[in-house]
Amino acid sequence: MIAEKMKNMVANSSAIRAMFEEGNRMAKLYGAENVYDFSLGNPNVPAPEAVKNAIVELVSDSDPVVLHGYTNSNSGYADVREAVAESINERFSTTFAGENIIMTVGAAGGLNVILKSLINPGDEVIVFAPYFGEYRSYTNNYDGVLVEISPDTETFQPKLAEFEQKITPKTKAVIVNTPNNPTGVVYSEETIKEMAAIMERKQKEYGTDIYLISDEPYRELVYDGVEVPYLTKYYANTIVGYSYSKSLSLPGERIGYLVIPDEVTDSEDLKAAANVATRILGFVNAPTLQQKLVAKCLHEKTDIGFYDRNRETLYNGLKECGFACIKPEGAFYLFVKSPIEDEKQFCADGKEFHILMVPGSSFGCPGYVRLAYCVAYETIVNALPKFRELAKKYF
């Protein structure tokens, strides 16, 4: 018999992954060109050419024993961590050193490392709906309690009054994700400042430390000149988790980092804990080849013009069909209001037209569906007539 905790996790396995697998099944039946799969946030834009060149150079010119061996520290190569810190300082006017950086197995690995380092059983972790559904599992991994803040479906900015009410002496961490998956909304500087002030007041009131964890895999994917605030500037107890999965189109390579500033309470102990957590969670260290690769490509960027064209085409096309949706400022998702109360039925209706969408209940926000527009432009163009047919069922 499998573990009791795993029984629930298996039963409630990711709806995103399940829909992606359904897409593969349908593609075999109807042909991939006749299936419009908007389920998985898997970048369709290739990595920059410099990435391929850097891999070739590393493999050709490096000592393979060193390149493919363990790192001296579970936190990663010292020179890579220094390079990452310098890059962040250059971009955001911060003052981090290499010791503030923990190289991680993607953003997911980083979140698990920091939660393992912080959470005692029964500690509360606050999230703002809609949120990436895996936060539930990551918190449950360490017997924490996930506390949801209900969504503001007008703006999808955090409901700060409810947030303040739901902070308790057991609140240990708050996770924010901006640009947001699934809405594409960027939390404003005003929102961040108010959120920081609330947490400062609550820390003083309860005599506790509340850690703000900023999950940032989509930081570079923003449109129309939108600025994404760097959260360590607004709140001392901020930890940043980052991934190169989207910014360099490397989702399968599993490489990212944590930033643990010196200003964070018990920062030395927390950095030591994160180093050990990287080992005991079974990561041992972030992939060594990928560490060296990203250090060579810190100034490279994915061409988001591809995503922007998809964003405009899909957003405008769906609005013309009669669907309601907030226009995303970042990431590569549209969060569309279901025309019927049961968004899972709406997803089922979409499958009749070979359209695959993810129900908003997977993100703590029923009544909506998520569409990942990181697909071929032709997929969007060919899907729009199907959306028009689908719309006729409701409008």
Side-chain angles (χ1 to χ4, degrees):
M1 294 292 289
I2 64 172
E4 290 297 323
K5 185 184 287 188
M6 285 307 300
K7 286 182 182 179
N8 290 329
M9 289 186 173
V10 170
N12 298 296
S13 183
S14 171
I16 300 171
R17 180 62 62 172
M19 195 63 73
F20 177 68
E21 291 171 356
E22 174 69 3
N24 290 334
R25 186 191 70 81
M26 291 176 66
K28 292 177 182 177
L29 287 175
Y30 307 114
E33 71 281 4
N34 298 313
V35 177
Y36 313 103
D37 187 352
F38 297 98
S39 62
L40 191 63
N42 191 26
N44 72 307
V45 177
E49 186 72 12
V51 169
K52 181 181 76 173
N53 295 337
I55 292 173
V56 171
E57 180 182 335
L58 284 165
V59 173
S60 300
D61 299 343
S62 303
D63 180 343
V65 174
V66 175
L67 183 63
H68 303 299
Y70 293 126
T71 56
N72 289 335
S73 166
N74 298 116
S75 297
Y77 286 119
D79 61 325
V80 172
R81 296 162 67 197
E82 286 287 348
V84 169
E86 289 173 9
S87 174
I88 297 170
N89 294 341
E90 180 182 317
R91 295 172 59 201
F92 304 113
S93 300
T94 49
T95 56
F96 301 128
E99 66 179 14
N100 298 117
I101 308 299
I102 310 287
M103 300 305 295
T104 63
V105 183
L111 285 172
N112 275 277
V113 164
I114 201 62
L115 290 173
K116 175 71 172 176
S117 301
L118 287 173
I119 301 300
N120 292 308
D123 282 347
E124 295 173 349
V125 177
I126 293 179
V127 295
F128 297 92
Y131 58 90
F132 181 48
E134 297 290 13
Y135 295 161
R136 297 188 197 104
S137 298
Y138 301 163
T139 301
N140 191 34
N141 283 343
Y142 313 106
D143 297 318
V145 177
L146 197 74
V147 176
E148 297 183 8
I149 308 301
S150 64
D152 174 356
T153 54
E154 290 296 319
T155 67
F156 289 106
Q157 294 285 323
K159 281 185 175 178
L160 295 181
E162 181 181 340
F163 172 57
E164 185 162 15
Q165 291 174 354
K166 287 188 173 178
I167 296 176
T168 76
K170 292 185 177 181
T171 302
K172 190 65 169 287
V174 177
I175 302 177
V176 294
N177 172 220
T178 173
N180 179 258
N181 173 13
T183 65
V185 165
V186 173
Y187 294 172
S188 68
E189 183 178 42
E190 180 183 359
T191 292
I192 297 303
K193 286 181 177 180
E194 290 182 24
M195 186 184 300
I198 289 168
M199 288 187 288
E200 292 284 5
R201 289 198 298 271
K202 289 297 182 178
Q203 285 187 137
K204 291 178 182 177
E205 178 181 347
Y206 296 131
T208 59
D209 287 294
I210 303 171
Y211 295 87
L212 178 62
I213 301 172
S214 182
D215 181 25
E216 301 190 354
Y218 303 99
R219 168 168 284 280
E220 272 66 54
L221 274 61
V222 289
Y223 313 102
D224 303 327
V226 171
E227 295 286 335
V228 183
Y230 201 77
L231 271 58
T232 62
K233 296 181 176 182
Y234 301 91
Y235 183 69
N237 268 346
T238 297
I239 297 152
V240 177
Y242 184 82
S243 167
Y244 293 96
S245 293
K246 316 314 187 201
S247 62
L248 291 179
S249 291
L250 298 174
E253 303 298 349
R254 312 311 305 138
I255 184 68
Y257 61 78
L258 289 169
V259 181
I260 304 176
D262 291 339
E263 292 78 11
V264 168
T265 301
D266 296 328
S267 64
E268 292 303 315
D269 286 345
L270 187 53
K271 286 181 283 188
N275 181 71
V276 172
T278 299
R279 173 173 57 81
I280 65 176
L281 286 173
F283 301 128
V284 181
N285 53 247
T288 51
L289 173 59
Q290 302 308 319
Q291 287 190 52
K292 293 292 188 181
L293 168 65
V294 296
K296 284 181 170 290
C297 297
L298 289 171
H299 300 289
E300 299 297 327
K301 296 180 180 179
T302 293
D303 184 356
I304 66 168
F306 291 95
Y307 297 135
D308 197 14
R309 181 171 71 157
N310 286 1
R311 176 182 73 124
E312 293 285 354
T313 302
L314 186 58
Y315 173 77
N316 291 327
L318 291 178
K319 294 285 282 186
E320 290 171 7
C321 291
F323 295 109
C325 174
I326 191 168
K327 190 172 186 178
E329 300 168 297
F332 40 49
Y333 306 106
L334 285 179
F335 206 51
V336 182
K337 184 172 177 57
S338 172
I340 54 177
E341 184 176 354
D342 183 357
E343 90 278 8
K344 292 181 180 179
Q345 181 58 52
F346 177 50
C347 290
D349 292 345
K351 282 173 61 178
E352 295 178 15
F353 299 92
H354 301 175
I355 298 169
L356 298 180
M357 305 172 284
V358 181
S361 49
S362 300
F363 306 96
C365 188
Y368 287 78
V369 297
R370 191 194 76 172
L371 279 70
Y373 56 82
C374 50
V375 297
Y377 180 66
E378 292 72 23
T379 298
I380 292 174
V381 171
N382 294 334
L384 286 176
K386 298 296 182 180
F387 275 111
R388 282 193 286 272
E389 292 181 48
L390 176 61
K392 291 176 183 177
K393 293 174 67 78
Y394 316 108
F395 308 124

